[in-house]
Structure formats: C-alpha cells, structure tokens
Amino acid sequence: MTIVPLFLLTLGAINWGYAYPLVFLFVALLRQRMLGREIYFNFLYAPGFWLLLSAGMTYALIGMRTISGVYHHGILPVVAFAIGWLIAEGSSDKQIRDGILALAAGFGTYATLNMLVNIGNNRYRLIDFWTGTYRAATGSGALNTLPISVTPYAVKFEKRLPVKIMFLALFFATIQYMFMLGTRTQFAILLLIVILAALQFAYSEHGIAGILKCLGIMVVISLIAFLFYHFNVLSIRDYILSTNLAARYERRASLENSDSFRFQSFWIGLRELIQYPMGGRASQIYRHNMWLDVGRVSGIIPFCLLLIYSIKNFANVTVIWKNPKILPSLRYLLLFLYIGAYVNCFVEPIWEGALNFFLALCVVDGMVSAMMRRLENDPNSEESVPDASNLHADL
C-alpha cells in the first residue's frame, strides 16, 4: 500500500487543485505493474464511478460553467475514486485498513497543526497552517471528522501500540481544535459515534444484557462528568468556559436564530429543487446540506445523481459490515467512518466548503467498490481483490 501518498493527500501540504492527484493516479497504476501484474481499469465497470462522473460533470456544466469547475468537480472526484480502487485491487483487508487510517492520520495531523498555530485566537480569526490565510468553518471543521470517526477502531481493535498512541494523541489534539473552532457538528458526530460504537460492541459481545449494562455505564459516566464540571475539578469548568465554543453558546439568541435559519434553509432547498430544477441559485445562501447545496447551484439532476451515489456507497458499507469474511477491524472502521462523514455532509456545503474532505471520501468509496467487486466475484474469498477483467492496458 502507498501509505505515504495517502497521508499526503489529506495532510494539506500539497494542494488537491494541482497535479498531485493525477501524479498519484500514475503512481497507483505503476504500482500494479511493479507488482508483476497487468494494469487493469476495473473501476470503469463500477456503477459508482459513472454516477460520480455524471454528478460532477452535470454540476460543473449546468451550474458553474467553468473549466475550473469541470476539473475540481468533474475530474478530481473520479480520479480519487480510481485511486482508491487501484490501491485496494489486489490488496489485503489489512492493507486497505491501513490506507484508510493514513487518510485519517493526514487530516488529524492537519487539524493538529492548525490547532498549534491558533492557540489564543478568536474563532473568527483562525488561520490555516500551510497558507497562513483565514479558513472557513466548514473546511476547518471537516478536518476533524475522520480522526474522531476512527477513534472506536483505535480503542477497540488497534493492537499496534505506536499506532494506537498516535491516533489517541490526534484525537485529543482534534478535540482541542474543535473547542477553538466552536464547532457543534464535530462534537455531535463524536457523541453519536461513541454511543453507537459502545452499544454495538456491547451487543455483539453480551447481547441485550450488554446494552443495558452499557447504558448504565453511560449514565454513571455522564453523572461523573457533570460533577467534575459543576465542582470545577482540575479546573475543567474554567477551561471549557474559556473556549470559543463556550463563547458561542453565550450568544444564545444568535445561536438559536442560526439553528432556526438552518432548519428553514433545508426546507427551502427541497422546495427549490422543484421551483428551480436547473439550479442557478449559487449566489443564494448555503442550505447547509451537501446534496441540497449541489441542487441549489446546478439543480435536480446532479442532486439526484449524487444522492444515488451516496446511498449506494453507504449500502455497500453495510453489506461489507455484515460480511464475516471481511476483517472485523476494517468492517467497523468503515461503518463508523461513513456514519461520521455522512453526518458531516448532511449539515455542511461540502462540495463548496470542504472539497478536500469529499475527495478523500471518494478514495475510500473506490476502495469499498473494489471490495464489493471481490465479494461479487467470489463471495467466499477474503483478504484480496482479484484482477478479473479483460479491460486493461499492456504497459
């Protein structure tokens, strides 16, 4: 597996908008040849590839109508998808797992670097480590989503002590960055992931009794946390009240207006898919939903294509999660990663505000699609995706 290039894809040091993804695609193809295999383009058989290409191209051509739009939304996502497929093809479950962890580690390191250069800054004055410029909340918050989503995997399954320590360190660093950002989305994702993971692990090991015991433990932990905060043990309350998140909640009226506005925007976005089926509303406010914001810009066609693509990918993940032939750690890693990622997509304009996050998700989509091809070709196989196609190039 090409771990370092995957890490660099999400680290932020190399801009997705330049040639790096295309170079990485060449590297992935070259890797196939160096392993002594012919280079196959099996990803062209994947329905997800064509759904993604159609969604990106209709989005760019109907709404944006620029060369830059075609490149960033029409070409780069399918390049990312192809990268994921080619890396997963012929790789073991452990190698695929480590590739996904490399993507999460890149985002986690990026968030950590941003946290370090913004200590003491107001949430509206946070800068990007690499560029030194101010970074929008959507893009900044999305950096935290993958690191916190893989935390259940790191705690439950990771046996390599250095890797476990690294992800736990990144987890605490991203928590600090989340407090700086004053973001509620990532804290909601964290809470959801932790609760679902705890309940699922308890049920898988002890059944209904395990769930009841887990709920009891959650109540006790919540009570202890409340007491620590109430009595300011270890100055926890002082720390929380000094964060940008607390400052945001102090402006409760503004926060409530924001929530009401977002809720209204969601229903406006649904209504405008009918009123403006060809989009053309790019200058309007965000709907704070990836799919509805695609519809706002370019209408109902790319909205439907992207929605079908997303549903198909999540369905693939559920199939993999239920398959005992797949490495258990990879199954749960994918499940919680997609839950976290899709919650983020549901409340943010990802295509406009965090394209690097979506492209990383497309890499994982390609890996998942390659795994599904393996299961379709041989339901009893495990640990590798076969090269079984006549669509290839002799290089």
Side-chain angles (χ1 to χ4, degrees), residues 116-181:
L116 293 174
V117 298
N118 284 291
I119 294 177
N121 289 350
N122 181 280
R123 72 179 293 257
Y124 297 106
R125 305 289 292 176
L126 300 182
I127 63 172
D128 182 83
F129 176 85
W130 298 109
T131 65
T133 58
Y134 298 118
R135 185 179 176 91
T138 297
S140 298
L143 298 179
N144 302 300
T145 299
L146 262 62
I148 62 177
S149 296
V150 304
T151 300
Y153 158 83
V155 172
K156 177 72 174 178
F157 293 104
E158 184 54 65
K159 305 302 181 184
R160 297 164 295 184
L161 185 59
V163 177
K164 182 184 287 285
I165 292 174
M166 178 190 70
F167 273 102
L168 291 178
L170 291 177
F171 170 77
F172 288 112
T174 54
I175 292 295
Q176 172 68 14
Y177 189 44
M178 286 156 58
F179 273 113
M180 285 183 174
L181 290 168

Side-chain angles (χ1 to χ4, degrees), residues 307-319:
L307 183 61
I308 294 170
Y309 171 80
S310 302
I311 292 173
K312 180 175 177 56
N313 284 323
F314 198 85
N316 287 343
V317 170
T318 59
V319 170

